[in-house]
Amino acid sequence: MEKAKVVSKEQNPLGTEPIPKLMVRFAVPSIVAMLVSALYNIVDQLFIGQAVGTIGNAATNVAFPFTTSCIALALMFGIGGASCFNLSMGRGQEEKAAYYAGNAISCLLGSGVLLCVFTQLFMTPLLKGFGAPAEVLPYAVVYVRITALGFPFLIVTTGGCHLVRGDGNPKMAMICNLVGAAINTVLDAIFVLGFGWGMAGAALATVIGQIVSAVIVLRCLKNFRTVPLTADCFRWKGVFVRRIAQIGMASFFNQMAMMLVQIVMNNSLTHYGALSIYGEAIPLACVGIVMKVNQVFFSVVIGLAQGSQPVESFNYGAEYYDRVRKAFRLVATAGVVISMISFVLFQVFPRQILALFGTGEPEYFTFGVRCFRVFLFFIWLDALQPITSVFFTSIGKPAKGIFLSLTRQILFFMPFLLILPRYMGIDGCIYAGPIADAMSAVVTVIMAYMEFKKMPRTEAEK
């Protein structure tokens, strides 16, 4: 293995270059990488919607909790490992930084294999628990049976890109995702529309793209730039694995909370949809589309947050607190602007967006348009929570990050999702979203204000 050049705290550009320049350098590739990751699922749904129809869209929605669980593991070990790595580098602890990176890589690969095996063994009962109606279940089984084979590659790619970015190579992290997404899109067109393979074709295209991306990521991780990674760095050591998991737990819980909420949402949509004029499949399909389109917005926001992670972690570890403030302020402002643009798009063009995913009966568009406009009404506030949650993780305060990551999904959305449909029927499912968004935004602003208030104003005060 080629020996990497060790970069000292004083030489590291994370502590010396202007914050706006660093944010462009790290955030833009991170945004592109997250967008590409979101497109994996959206591209599948676009082709499935055209070839299979409403039932196919419903099946991908039911299967989506599996993807969310992959992202949860990837972010726990990826963001946790990258944050620990950059915090150690900021403190001048290069040897510890190398072990954090190596242990994170091993955890990513191991967790992916375990999740793949678990899914294959318990697929049908899990899909039923995720809310799959009888008519949708066969389509979901076909799709997940194949995509589960790609779980190790998806987790390595998603989590490994954070380590590549933390190593100061954000462009390569972006390229890893771009190559896989391009392969997935081309093969989707060939397998689904050309060969007529339907759900199986979309799943196979996804797995092939993930394998290629993972191979590229592993090659980058083999040749770390800032510190040398020896074979011993990849052997699991409890002290490093525990700290990585602790730091990455906020992102993990955020994704798992999203998965739990989605499972409850799917079951509520199936139950209350059957009691409405829409039936079981239409609400499942429409909410699945809304969630995945919303994921495009969140990909930009999370990309901003993750791009700020190396900057915030290093400068907090180096006690350059003014630079930490500037980084957070810049990414929060950008997030709010993007949120406002998304709000306008989703309020003005919901029918046009729905039409991209195939046609359907009038009830499909009626419910889908209302879902876009009501469920995403407070999307202009949604950027604050993930940006602040990642900030707490970046500065080594995972407990606050975990709490904040759970506010929207568990503390607010879940109770309203369980209560409102009892009185409002299927409409209660979509009104729970904006209420939770508004309440979590208030908590986020308070926690961020309190943290910056007690942080030393300058390095001299420290």
Side-chain angles (χ1 to χ4, degrees), residues 224-406:
F224 234 49
R225 294 165 43 159
T226 49
V227 293
L229 299 184
T230 63
D232 192 54
C233 294
F234 296 94
R235 296 190 180 96
W236 287 336
K237 299 183 186 299
V239 62
F240 296 109
V241 173
R242 282 194 298 271
R243 186 56 178 167
I244 290 169
Q246 183 185 31
I247 293 293
M249 199 62 70
S251 298
F252 174 80
F253 276 130
N254 188 41
Q255 291 294 317
M256 294 304 291
M258 290 172 60
M259 185 181 79
L260 179 60
V261 167
Q262 186 177 22
I263 292 170
V264 174
M265 172 72 99
N266 286 347
N267 282 279
S268 297
L269 291 169
T270 301
H271 175 73
Y272 291 103
L275 302 176
S276 71
I277 62 172
Y278 304 112
E280 294 177 325
I282 287 177
L284 272 176
C286 289
V287 170
I289 292 170
V290 170
M291 292 286 195
K292 289 182 180 177
V293 172
N294 187 37
Q295 190 186 23
V296 174
F297 153 73
F298 259 102
S299 296
V300 178
V301 172
I302 294 174
L304 277 170
Q306 293 175 355
S308 68
Q309 177 269 312
V311 182
E312 292 169 346
S313 291
F314 182 90
N315 286 284
Y316 193 85
E319 301 180 359
Y320 300 156
Y321 297 117
D322 285 342
R323 291 174 63 80
V324 176
R325 283 191 188 83
K326 290 178 182 177
F328 179 83
R329 194 159 47 235
L330 184 59
V331 73
T333 301
V336 170
V337 172
I338 293 167
S339 300
M340 295 299 296
I341 295 172
S342 300
F343 171 78
V344 172
L345 290 174
F346 296 154
Q347 292 296 316
V348 176
F349 303 110
R351 187 179 182 90
Q352 290 84 344
I353 295 172
L354 280 167
L356 295 174
F357 295 87
T359 58
E361 50 267 47
E363 291 81 6
Y364 166 80
F365 286 101
T366 300
F367 184 84
V369 168
R370 289 189 66 243
C371 190
F372 260 109
R373 288 176 173 163
V374 175
F375 192 79
L376 301 180
F377 185 77
F378 280 119
I379 192 175
W380 50 278
L381 294 173
D382 284 356
L384 298 175
Q385 187 264 346
I387 286 173
T388 309
S389 180
V390 170
F391 163 73
F392 282 121
T393 300
S394 299
I395 64 173
K397 298 188 176 182
K400 292 183 178 181
I402 292 170
F403 172 78
L404 193 56
S405 69
L406 296 178

Side-chain angles (χ1 to χ4, degrees), residues 392-459:
F392 282 121
T393 300
S394 299
I395 64 173
K397 298 188 176 182
K400 292 183 178 181
I402 292 170
F403 172 78
L404 193 56
S405 69
L406 296 178
T407 53
R408 196 266 182 189
Q409 304 293 345
I410 301 299
L411 297 184
F412 300 132
F413 187 44
M414 182 73 78
F416 286 115
L417 184 58
L418 293 173
I419 295 170
L420 292 183
R422 295 176 178 271
Y423 302 97
M424 303 173 64
I426 194 71
D427 287 345
C429 295
I430 58 178
Y431 276 96
I435 297 173
D437 290 339
M439 297 178 73
S440 65
V442 173
V443 175
T444 298
V445 171
I446 293 173
M447 289 186 65
Y449 173 77
M450 296 297 292
E451 182 64 32
F452 281 107
K453 185 178 180 180
K454 67 182 182 181
M455 186 183 297
R457 296 298 305 173
T458 64
E459 294 83 59

Side-chain angles (χ1 to χ4, degrees), residues 4-12 84-101 224 226-229 233 240 314:
K5 179 182 177 181
V6 177
V7 180
S8 71
K9 169 180 166 179
E10 292 75 16
Q11 296 172 323
N12 199 309
C84 290
F85 173 81
N86 289 123
L87 283 167
S88 297
M89 291 295 292
R91 293 164 181 155
Q93 301 169 337
E94 287 84 6
E95 185 177 353
K96 288 181 66 175
Y99 276 96
Y100 278 125
F224 234 49
T226 49
V227 293
L229 299 184
C233 294
F240 296 109
F314 182 90

